């Protein structure tokens, strides 16, 4: 099923039996996404543990490096997501977290999209029972190098490096514990992914979202590298640009948690 990176709740309800719904709630403050899921989720949704299945071990590669293809394949298969599945993912943060799963699947050529508006768009009763999906066949496939960037790529990139974090982290006025130093990659521009959303967590009209990127001179995603703190919310900007017809950019998975910890990398404020 060929999909735009975003679908609305009407689309999901009309295709519910044809897709796997994935709950990808996760919180930077350490709160449990699994507990939030057990308190109530979209009926039939499976819980995707970002730390276990969508990230490798934190360390020299940053806080949330991409998992190995084998780990990702194991996780997807265990949740009933197969090579031919269509996955609709959501969270309670306007999609900025669930975007990680959607980007990963789409990077591998799989059918996946974000539910615009997330869990709040469901509008009906939530479910507390946990489904037991049958194990599916999901092939381990190498992450496509053409869609990824390293720290050296960032330093030498002739296009635009786009930071998806909030302005206060970008300009260094706020340093969270995961930031090795305050500020941003020298020369980067700031397009905060959360400014693509309205108060309900739904995408703003396309003209307004484009303006968020145009203000930073971002008009062509193919000439961009997207990053954030650790390669999670950066995926949202990549999906939004694709949704707007701007093409597909590259992800720097290490993000600021990797770049700012490297020797001889000095932040810009």
């Amino acid at each position: 099923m060929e999909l735009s990176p975003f679908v609305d709740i009407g689309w999901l309800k009309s295709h519910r039996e044809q897709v796997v719904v994935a709950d990808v709630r996760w919180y930077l403050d350490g709160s449990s996404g699994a507990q939030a899921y057990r308190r109530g989720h979209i009926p039939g949704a499976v819980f995707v543990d970002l730390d276990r299945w969508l990230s490798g071990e934190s360390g020299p590669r940053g806080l949330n490096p991409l998992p190995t293809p084998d780990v990702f394949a194991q996780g997807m298969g265990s949740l009933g997501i197969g090579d031919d599945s269509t996955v609709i993912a959501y969270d309670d943060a306007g999609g900025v977290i669930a975007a990680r799963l959607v980007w990963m699947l789409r990077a591998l050529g799989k059918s996946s999209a974000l539910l615009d508006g997330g869990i709040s768009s469901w509008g009906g009763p939530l479910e507390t029972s946990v489904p037991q999906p049958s194990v599916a066949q999901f092939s381990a496939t190498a992450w496509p190098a053409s869609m990824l960037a390293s720290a050296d790529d960032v330093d030498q990139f002739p296009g635009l490096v786009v930071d998806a974090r909030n302005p206060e982290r970008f300009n260094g006025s706020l340093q969270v514990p995961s930031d090795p130093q305050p500020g941003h990659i020298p020369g980067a521009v700031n397009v905060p992914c959360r400014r693509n959303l309205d108060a309900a967590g739904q995408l703003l009209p396309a003209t307004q979202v484009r303006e968020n990127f145009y203000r930073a001179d971002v008009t062509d995603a193919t000439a961009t590298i997207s990053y954030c703190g650790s390669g999670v919310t950066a995926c949202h900007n990549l999906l939004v640009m694709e949704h707007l017809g701007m093409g597909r950019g590259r992800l720097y998975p290490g993000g600021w948690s990797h770049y700012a910890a490297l020797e001889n990398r000095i932040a810009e404020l």
Side-chain angles (χ1 to χ4, degrees):
M1 191 182 298
E2 189 170 343
L3 291 177
S4 167
F6 291 81
V7 298
D8 61 26
I9 192 61
W11 187 97
L12 175 59
K13 289 183 175 180
S14 64
H15 294 82
R16 183 63 190 85
E17 301 306 314
Q18 301 167 261
V19 304
V20 178
V21 179
D23 185 311
V24 199
R25 280 179 279 182
W26 178 86
Y27 307 100
L28 188 60
D29 65 4
S31 299
S32 173
Q35 288 183 6
Y37 169 80
R38 290 192 291 269
R39 286 193 295 268
H41 51 266
I42 290 177
V46 296
F47 178 69
V48 181
D49 188 330
L50 186 146
D51 290 317
R52 183 178 184 185
W53 302 125
L54 307 185
S55 300
E57 185 176 352
S58 296
R61 294 185 297 150
L63 286 181
N64 297 109
L66 290 175
T68 65
D70 286 342
V71 166
F72 185 58
Q74 179 189 354
M76 295 302 97
S78 71
L79 295 170
I81 297 170
D83 287 326
D84 297 324
S85 297
T86 293
V87 177
I88 306 302
Y90 72 87
D91 55 30
D92 56 5
V96 301
I97 303 301
R100 171 76 164 222
L101 172 62
V102 173
W103 182 87
M104 291 167 73
L105 289 168
R106 293 177 72 91
L108 296 179
K110 310 298 185 184
S111 178
S112 185
L114 279 173
L115 175 62
D116 191 18
I119 192 170
S120 63
S121 69
W122 178 247
L126 299 176
E127 182 178 78
T128 57
S129 60
V130 177
Q132 301 298 319
S134 299
V135 175
Q137 175 60 42
F138 192 99
S139 302
T141 306
W143 302 111
S146 62
M147 299 189 69
L148 300 175
S150 67
D152 288 339
D153 292 331
V154 167
D155 286 338
Q156 301 163 15
F157 192 57
L160 288 174
V161 178
V162 182
D163 189 319
R165 296 176 300 161
N166 290 340
E168 58 270 21
R169 287 182 68 190
F170 177 80
N171 64 30
S173 61
L174 172 67
Q175 182 180 7
V176 302
S178 59
D179 292 339
Q181 54 180 311
H184 58 267
I185 293 173
V189 298
N190 190 208
V191 182
C193 62
R194 290 171 176 83
R195 289 191 178 174
N196 298 324
L197 305 168
D198 64 18
Q202 292 186 305
L203 274 179
L204 292 166
T207 52
Q208 290 180 246
V209 180
R210 281 196 182 90
E211 186 57 33
N212 290 340
F213 287 91
Y214 289 173
R215 279 196 294 268
D217 293 326
V218 179
T219 59
D220 179 5
T222 65
T224 67
I225 291 173
S226 182
Y227 82 96
C228 56
S230 61
V232 176
T233 62
C235 294
H236 192 265
N237 267 354
L238 289 169
L239 295 177
V240 169
M241 288 189 287
E242 184 182 353
H243 180 69
L244 294 174
M246 298 167 65
R248 304 179 83 178
R250 295 161 67 187
L251 174 68
Y252 173 28
W256 188 240
S257 67
H258 175 251
Y259 189 94
L262 294 173
E263 189 177 357
N264 299 322
R265 262 45 173 223
I266 306 300
E268 187 171 87
L269 301 176

